Amino acid sequence: MTIGEYTYGGNQWEYGYSSAEFADGKVYGSIEPNIFKGSKITSLAVGQSVDPSSQMILLHILWISFSIGLSQSTIKLTINNSTYTLNPVEGNTYYYIELPTNDSSLILWMQSQVGKTIPVIIQ
């Protein structure tokens, strides 16, 4: 995956891959292959939301989304030698895990890799 950067609302950041159908008609980053279990990957990203007044971190989230639902009960992503187990929502087209707000290591690492290609294992 080649990491792109997407900011919106002035207080939210996303690092990873988002396709045009997922990110306001623009493509951020790239992913190869872009199909998993017969469904197109529409995003694979880590995001951060910050309170605009206090600048406190509100949320870190890692997610992957697909064009059609999967029959997977969970999705495992291995990024930077760490494996994360993501849970489904929205008819199994979207899988996510909320990361601890006091652990910025994944989002900082992804941010440092913008424009670079990294290996990602999806299971």
Side-chain angles (χ1 to χ4, degrees):
M1 174 174 80
T2 301
I3 298 177
E5 177 179 25
Y6 176 47
T7 61
Y8 50 102
N11 65 336
Q12 297 179 51
W13 294 266
E14 176 181 311
Y15 304 98
Y17 162 70
S18 292
S19 66
E21 57 263 47
F22 197 83
D24 301 333
K26 297 178 184 168
V27 175
Y28 299 91
S30 63
I31 191 164
E32 283 292 330
N34 67 349
I35 303 289
F36 178 74
K37 305 265 183 180
S39 183
K40 182 180 176 191
I41 300 168
T42 55
S43 71
L44 192 169
V46 62
Q48 173 178 282
S49 180
V50 177
D51 182 295
S53 58
S54 69
Q55 296 301 304
M56 302 239 347
I57 295 172
L58 301 174
L59 178 69
H60 286 157
I61 190 169
L62 171 64
W63 72 87
I64 187 169
S65 63
F66 301 93
S67 58
I68 58 174
L70 300 176
S71 60
Q72 303 276 119
S73 59
T74 61
I75 299 267
K76 289 187 185 292
L77 294 178
T78 302
I79 302 171
N80 194 27
N81 299 317
S82 294
T83 301
Y84 305 89
T85 301
L86 285 62
N87 299 307
V89 291
E90 297 182 15
N92 291 18
T93 60
Y94 182 79
Y95 292 74
Y96 82 100
I97 186 171
E98 191 171 320
L99 301 167
T101 54
N102 61 351
D103 181 0
S104 299
S105 58
L106 180 60
I107 197 162
L108 291 173
W109 183 81
M110 291 280 275
Q111 182 182 30
S112 75
Q113 302 301 304
V114 168
K116 298 177 182 174
T117 300
I118 63 160
V120 175
I121 299 169
I122 307 171
Q123 300 172 292

